[in-house]
Amino acid sequence: MCGLEVHVEDGQVAAIRPNRDDVWSRGHICPKGASLGAVHEDPDRIRRPMIKVDGQWHEVDWDTAFRRCTELLAPVIDRYGIGAVTAYTGNPLAHSFSLARYSAVLLGMSGMPLTYSPGTVDQWPKNLTSHLMYGGWWSFPVPDLERTDLLVVMGANPAASQGSLLAAPDVMGLIRSISERGTVIVVDPVRTRTAERADEWLPINPGTDAALLLAVCHTLFAEDLVDLGTLEPHLDGLETLRTAVADWPPERVSAVTGVAADRIRQLARQLAGTPRAVVYGRIGTCNQEFGSLASWLVDVVNILTGHFDVAGGAMFPTPAAWSVTVQPIPGLEDGAADFGRFRTRVRGAKEVLGQVPVSCLAEEIATPGDGQIRALITVAGNPVLSTPAGHKLDEALPGLDAMIAIDLWLNETTRHADVILPGASPLEQPHHDDLILNFAINSVANYSAPVFARPDQDTPDEWEILIRLTGLCTGTPAEDVDVAAVDDGFFDYLCFTQGLDGAEVRAHYDHGGPERILDLTLRTGPFGDRYGRDPDGLTLDSLKAAPDGVNFGPMVPRIPEVLGTSDAKIRLAPAYLLDDLPRLARRLRRQPDDLVLVSRRHLRSNNSWLHNVGALMKGRDRCTLLMHRDDAARLGLHDGDLVAVTSAGGRIDVPLEVTEAIKPGVVSMPHGWGHGKQGTRLTVANGSPGVNTNILSPPDFLDEPSGNGALNGIPVTVTRAGD
Ligand SMILES: Nc1nc2c(c(=O)[nH]1)N[C@H]1C(S)=C(S)[C@@H](COP(=O)(O)OP(=O)(O)OC[C@H]3O[C@@H](n4cnc5c(=O)[nH]c(N)nc54)[C@H](O)[C@@H]3O)O[C@H]1N2
Ligand SMILES: Nc1nc2c(c(=O)[nH]1)N[C@H]1C(S)=C(S)[C@@H](COP(=O)(O)OP(=O)(O)OC[C@H]3O[C@@H](n4cnc5c(=O)[nH]c(N)nc54)[C@H](O)[C@@H]3O)O[C@H]1N2
Ligand SMILES: [Mo]
């Protein structure tokens, strides 16, 4: 999302530098953006489609590749029906010009009854709570970093991640400014780089944020600190909430959270007493046993302290282009808690907002019987490394009748495919973010043209690949699908959602594809020209004339217009969430674990897939287990020892890194490692493979209301490997 200058010499990337004139990033860049040249030039990157015959890969032309998809998939559908086919759509989809805008085609029109994604190892608790509270499953309040004076970060490490469900340019620069004019507090079991630069690190026991926040709410009511401001008429459930938090005083949660009762009270007073303050919770508050309660209570605290929908608090952004990725779920309007409309075959996991835990995928493939999954399409995903018990998926994938991957690398997951269909490199396609601009602290639009043409004329874009596979799922051979007709149909549907007639709108264009959709979403967005009705309004053409982007400024209040609830009120105390409080109460009585595992990210990494960039892999081994000095001493372990880490899920051996920057009783591992598998083509990554921490993630350790994986707070034992 940062503005880049890509310098090209002799058809190659000579340098990538930050664009100082970019209206959004103003000269900021992180190592991910700087690596796009290396990604583009990577000799391992797949450039032509590949099919596997008798275990050997062959590069083929596109027509042959699509014919092969048909040969493989059509018989599965004929014999077992579309219910035997599923898809896994991974994280880079959200950032891709084509894939983001066309994922809804595959997911919505293919007829696959159930698909999987990393949503349930990421933000599903937030989808759930936003659906229940605001009637919008992608309506996430975002901390207004530019104008707040007190920032409480819970379970996020923007120094590594650059912010998540919070798009802000130079996020650490903004956080430094908050600290200069006010206070930054980081609530995290690890003293991260973010915590180091904050005014205070508040160590917390993993999985207990909900208990801490309940006690904050308790204090706000008990000390009469609740200040709803102008939000009051738009709230529903205040009295229910007051009753629910009444039996959660700080003393009750102090032991389980590891935070002193006085400090919890003081935190409530700080938040209530600072005119511009905000709590920001992210993946550490989602990927845990009580992710839904924690996500809900982060918002509740912001609301109760008058820091919601106001400058400096948590606000709903106003994206310049509405996101195509976000489509309503039929039958789930108005924040209905009507979940479990279906359950998975093997485990009986209930559907929540159309998703089941991604850890169900392996057993749905491996377990014989009616409804068994026999064909899989992966789109920009590496679930073998990224999802709980990925090693079980690794064992299950060879049992599929057919697997098709849309991906750019031959990695731990795609090595099991029968066909790999590569998209363009990021520099070979235009760019304008889709989903993530919904979480941006400014309303920005920014279009970049492709830097390079694609080498071959016949190469389809990823959106065309998605349309062909969608057609194949509905009975047309992939090679025969009328791509333009499906594209028009999808466009007409998008127009329909805006009350427009697709055929009339299409008359404005001589082309289809994502650029047409982007133009539609800009022109019908809040700053758009409404197809001529507001001649000064935004269009894709006017955006193209502004190569540094257009910034419409900071967030503005949006309540009640943004709410999707039928009474246009925020539901402060949804029954579905209150029903989970007894489970948290039981947690208080549980015997404390000796050691629990949490996850971490690194600045020079992106989940599993930037490890093939040499420049990002320099320096010492990052795939280590962090452990507090006192725990190491107690266990007789030393820095650099190879240790065996064992959980209910499995065991890995990993080098130990002893530190003081972690709460005693907690150990930390990065995810996305475990390269070096036979049959992959990742020269750099395979040279420093690391180990897959998700072997330790038990597939049934979940945040129950959302079905999100609890990848943090996993009980483990650690011994010297070989002992
Ligand atoms: N460089 C880089 N950037 C990335 C990524 C990457 O891999 N590398 N990944 C991208 C993706 S997909 C995402 S979703 C975002 C995520 O972005 P962030 O949400 O910022 O995620 P992390 O950096 O993993 O930070 C999570 C923090 O939660 C803490 N934590 C763990 N358990 C608990 C708990 O129970 N309570 C509390 N309070 N804290 C806890 C961890 O110690 C860790 O410091 O980053 C994105 N950006
Ligand atoms: N233990 C633990 N596990 C975690 C997490 C954690 O915090 N702890 N975080 C979770 C989170 S938040 C996420 S989002 C998931 C990520 O889970 P995934 O999305 O499954 O994993 P990635 O590593 O992001 O895999 C990206 C894949 O996309 C491919 N790719 C990259 N760019 C493109 C492109 O432009 N087009 C196509 N077609 N393919 C492309 C890469 O080759 C790779 O195969 O991991 C989750 N796993
Ligand atoms: Mo993520």
Side-chain angles (χ1 to χ4, degrees):
M1 292 172 79
C2 292
L4 307 176
E5 283 176 14
V6 182
H7 296 261
V8 177
E9 276 166 30
D10 301 328
Q12 293 218 317
V13 179
I16 293 193
R17 299 200 190 102
N19 174 12
R20 279 175 219 293
D21 298 324
D22 187 274
V23 298
W24 163 250
S25 53
R26 298 181 296 256
H28 177 75
I29 189 178
C30 88
K32 291 177 285 188
S35 75
L36 288 185
V39 165
H40 177 76
E41 313 282 355
D42 185 351
D44 289 340
R45 180 169 60 83
I46 301 172
R47 289 161 168 82
R48 302 287 301 159
M50 310 211 302
I51 64 173
K52 199 194 272 162
V53 182
D54 297 330
Q56 293 296 312
W57 286 108
H58 301 273
E59 274 196 9
V60 294
D61 60 47
W62 281 93
D63 193 51
T64 308
F66 285 124
R67 282 176 197 281
R68 184 68 188 140
C69 292
T70 306
E71 262 170 39
L72 288 161
L73 209 59
V76 174
I77 299 171
D78 281 350
R79 186 143 174 222
Y80 305 106
I82 189 68
V85 184
T86 194
Y88 174 91
T89 50
N91 170 274
L93 179 137
H95 303 281
S96 157
F97 189 67
S98 279
L99 291 175
R101 292 184 175 77
Y102 283 82
S103 58
V105 172
L106 182 74
L107 302 180
M109 296 168 70
S110 65
M112 290 181 285
L114 176 59
T115 60
Y116 297 82
S117 82
T120 53
V121 280
D122 189 340
Q123 82 297 332
W124 223 244
K126 283 192 72 88
N127 292 114
L128 173 66
T129 57
S130 287
H131 168 75
L132 295 171
M133 295 176 77
Y134 317 120
W137 64 310
W138 288 99
S139 299
F140 301 156
V142 165
D144 183 9
L145 297 187
E146 286 175 321
R147 293 177 292 188
T148 200
D149 299 324
L150 168 59
L151 172 68
V152 179
V153 178
M154 300 183 79
N157 182 16
S161 68
Q162 308 297 296
S164 177
L165 305 183
L166 154 64
D170 189 12
V171 63
M172 290 312 290
L174 288 170
I175 288 178
R176 192 185 328 113
S177 305
I178 299 170
S179 181
E180 277 162 15
R181 64 175 180 265
T183 308
V184 178
I185 300 171
V186 174
V187 182
D188 198 301
V190 181
R191 196 175 75 216
T192 59
R193 299 283 302 277
T194 307
E196 267 166 28
R197 295 182 215 172
D199 299 281
E200 184 183 355
W201 171 44
L202 252 186
I204 186 169
N205 288 326
T208 66
D209 301 79
L212 178 91
L213 291 164
L214 281 167
V216 169
C217 292
H218 174 99
T219 307
L220 293 171
F221 282 111
E223 301 191 1
D224 208 13
L225 297 171
V226 172
D227 172 14
L228 304 170
T230 55
L231 222 51
E232 182 146 21
H234 306 295
L235 298 176
D236 174 58
L238 186 65
E239 287 316 307
T240 314
L241 179 74
R242 184 199 303 271
T243 311
V245 304
D247 36 326
W248 291 89
E251 282 70 18
R252 184 172 177 211
V253 305
S254 170
V256 78
T257 57
V259 183
D262 283 350
R263 184 66 195 92
I264 300 174
R265 282 209 170 80
Q266 198 200 342
L267 183 63
R269 293 173 195 144
Q270 276 174 290
L271 284 165
T274 309
R276 292 186 165 195
V278 69
V279 183
Y280 164 58
R282 204 27 297 265
I283 208 158
T285 56
C286 286
N287 277 350
Q288 55 141 293
E289 221 182 329
F290 298 96
S292 294
L293 288 179
S295 296
W296 164 56
L297 289 161
V298 164
D299 289 7
V300 166
V301 167
N302 286 327
I303 292 170
L304 293 182
T305 50
H307 303 313
F308 200 81
D309 201 41
V310 293
M315 305 186 79
F316 293 103
T318 308
W322 50 277
S323 169
V324 175
T325 319
V326 178
Q327 294 295 319
I329 304 179
L332 268 190
E333 292 82 13
D334 194 18
D338 185 14
F339 307 128
R341 291 172 296 167
F342 55 85
R343 288 184 175 263
T344 61
R345 179 178 63 104
V346 179
R347 199 191 298 182
K350 77 172 170 203
E351 152 279 336
V352 177
L353 294 169
Q355 290 265 296
V356 299
V358 66
S359 58
C360 295
L361 180 56
E363 69 215 26
E364 292 296 325
I365 295 170
T367 313
D370 265 2
Q372 183 179 7
I373 293 294
R374 302 185 186 258
L376 172 69
I377 301 171
T378 66
V379 186
N382 193 3
V384 164
L385 295 192
S386 297
T387 62
H391 59 304
K392 299 236 171 93
L393 191 61
D394 197 33
E395 287 162 18
L397 292 178
L400 288 166
D401 292 357
M403 177 171 161
I404 299 166
I406 304 180
D407 209 287
L408 304 180
W409 282 275
L410 187 51
N411 64 18
E412 299 73 21
T413 297
T414 61
R415 71 186 173 126
H416 295 295
D418 302 295
V419 183
I420 304 181
L421 306 170
S425 101
L427 299 182
E428 290 167 346
Q429 43 186 321
H431 193 65
H432 181 287
D433 246 77
D434 180 83
L435 180 67
I436 311 296
L437 284 172
N438 283 252
F439 318 126
I441 60 167
N442 287 180
S443 300
V444 287
N446 215 332
Y447 173 88
S448 341
V451 178
F452 298 109
R454 294 200 67 176
D456 299 306
Q457 284 299 315
D458 70 329
T459 310
D461 281 324
E462 283 172 299
W463 64 273
E464 299 176 79
I465 302 173
L466 285 180
I467 286 181
R468 285 197 186 276
L469 295 184
T470 303
L472 174 55
C473 287
T474 57
T476 309
E479 62 278 16
D480 296 338
V481 170
D482 184 344
V483 171
V486 179
D487 185 32
D488 284 351
F490 181 51
F491 187 78
D492 289 357
Y493 167 74
L494 294 173
C495 290
F496 167 77
T497 67
Q498 303 302 302
L500 298 172
D501 179 78
E504 277 172 27
V505 181
R506 272 193 279 118
H508 286 87
Y509 302 94
D510 57 8
H511 62 85
E515 296 228 355
R516 181 170 68 177
I517 293 181
L518 174 58
D519 192 47
L520 170 75
T521 57
L522 288 166
R523 298 177 84 168
T524 55
F527 312 102
D529 83 331
R530 309 275 329 162
Y531 287 97
R533 271 202 277 149
D534 178 0
D536 296 330
L538 190 63
T539 66
L540 181 52
D541 280 341
S542 68
L543 188 58
K544 283 181 176 174
D548 298 322
V550 182
N551 191 337
F552 296 94
M555 295 182 284
V556 293
R558 291 201 56 191
I559 290 191
E561 146 271 321
V562 75
L563 300 172
T565 45
S566 55
D567 53 359
K569 288 197 175 179
I570 296 174
R571 312 245 160 92
L572 260 183
Y576 186 75
L577 296 173
L578 297 180
D579 286 349
D580 199 34
L581 287 173
R583 191 171 65 96
L584 181 62
R586 287 195 295 279
R587 168 74 180 80
L588 301 186
R589 296 191 292 271
R590 200 160 77 197
Q591 200 62 23
D593 297 296
D594 187 38
L595 280 176
V596 292
L597 175 71
V598 297
S599 291
R600 70 174 187 270
R601 282 178 164 69
H602 194 279
L603 182 65
R604 281 183 286 117
S605 189
N606 196 26
N607 300 324
S608 75
W609 74 275
L610 282 183
H611 295 158
N612 213 43
V613 175
L616 298 184
M617 293 287 279
K618 292 208 177 96
R620 61 196 176 99
D621 187 5
R622 304 194 308 250
C623 187
T624 58
L625 183 81
L626 291 185
M627 178 185 274
H628 192 273
R629 192 170 301 287
D630 295 349
D631 288 323
R634 175 170 66 90
L635 297 168
L637 300 170
H638 302 96
D639 194 73
D641 281 355
L642 187 68
V643 293
V645 190
T646 312
S647 74
R651 168 185 160 164
I652 59 172
D653 289 0
V654 60
L656 183 71
E657 190 175 333
V658 175
T659 177
E660 266 160 14
I662 195 165
K663 196 173 192 299
V666 181
V667 289
S668 159
M669 276 286 295
H671 73 282
W673 298 91
H675 306 297
K677 297 264 188 198
Q678 214 178 8
T680 58
R681 194 171 86 197
L682 295 167
T683 312
V684 179
N686 287 346
S688 319
V691 289
N692 181 3
T693 190
N694 278 320
I695 291 173
L696 299 172
S697 310
D700 54 357
F701 188 43
L702 300 168
D703 167 51
E704 285 177 12
S706 68
N708 200 83
L711 305 175
N712 293 298
I714 301 167
V716 290
T717 56
V718 180
T719 56
R720 190 176 293 103
D723 276 6

